[in-house]
Amino acid sequence: MSIIKKQKLIIAGPCSAESEKQVIQTAVELKKNDTIDILRAGVWKPRTKPGGYEGSGENGLKWLKKAKEATGIPIATEVAKPHHVELAINHGVDVVWIGARTTANPFSVQEIADELKNSALEVLIKNPINADINLWIGAYERVKLSGLRNIGLIHRGFTSFGNPDFRNAPFWQIPIEMKRLFPDTPMICDPSHIGGKRYRLEQIIQKSLNLDYDGLMIESHHDPDSALTDKEQQIKPQALNDLFERIQWRSKSIDKTEFTDKINLLREELKELDDELLSIFFARMKISNNIGKLKKENNLAILQTKYWDERLKYLMAIGKKNNLDEQFLKTVLETIHLESIRFQNDAKI
Ligand code: PEP
Ligand code: MN
């Protein structure tokens, strides 16, 4: 029976295994409320810069094993090298995860996948630090090819600029696409690394549950203020339990005719609008093509910055009046404009 394929899976535990006392105390406190399925702790810590806390290594695995014996909760840790896999197996680890920095490196993922072959480990693959879905897909496929059956995905957000509300911007469209491509693979949200601050956890968790995620991985420490890594995002076990009382898991489907009728109607309306949107795009690109020809005939530069600037400002102002999100509208308009430039560029006289 797979551990990670349980519905409403909860993985919790400290960012790093720091001492025997810390691991056991956190595990026992988490166990008290019976809310967790898997205890997590990193023992090899990939720090961005040298000099940071690098983890407790094999000792940390021993503490995790003791915590498992004391509470009966299965244990999980991060592996970044084949040797880590070997040590994890030797210390009775049940689940390993591949960290975001490792997922971004196909060489490392392949080495780990080779080592995982024929093991009974269950594996979770975090999204890569950069917002490149193909690296995530590639890591998933490499692990899958090693013959393992119990594989899941963890969404922990992506490095980005200009997203001050997150430590790692969620870019929800990427995990949504992964769910579409691999519908039978559990998708777990790691709100701790997305948010970076404990006060942000609740909102991120609820959003992931609204999107039908299968589970959560949350960093919890018996005394977050003394944590050696990621102290601002770790939460006390009791606070975690209180948080679980407030969040709502949504059902995957519903069998109520009234609801089904209503949603089908609304979906029909959306379908029509989407069809219309596409025909508008076709018509628009045809015009761009004609403009491209005209500019070419007259040897005029394609990009007319002043004209574009005025149009953008005008459309953004209308969007604002109608409560359209500014970032959303800007992205849409800029994307259309870029595609229009491409059409103009390719136009043949
Ligand atoms: C972690 O889970 O503690 C961790 C280092 O995560 P990530 O690989 O997402 O940065
Ligand atoms: Mn961490």
Side-chain angles (χ1 to χ4, degrees), residues 271-289:
K271 264 193 216 161
E272 298 227 347
L273 287 176
D274 286 343
D275 289 350
E276 208 173 303
L277 214 53
L278 276 194
S279 43
I280 290 175
F281 281 152
F282 299 147
R284 199 183 191 290
M285 292 313 158
K286 222 183 245 172
I287 296 177
S288 296
N289 189 50

Side-chain angles (χ1 to χ4, degrees), residues 15 40 45-46 78 97 99-101 126 156 190 193 217 219 230:
C15 176
R40 66 147 280 157
K45 298 308 294 179
E78 173 175 345
W97 76 84
R101 290 157 192 80
K126 287 201 171 198
R156 54 78 80 193
D190 170 350
H193 290 90
M217 182 197 253
E219 288 190 342
D230 288 353

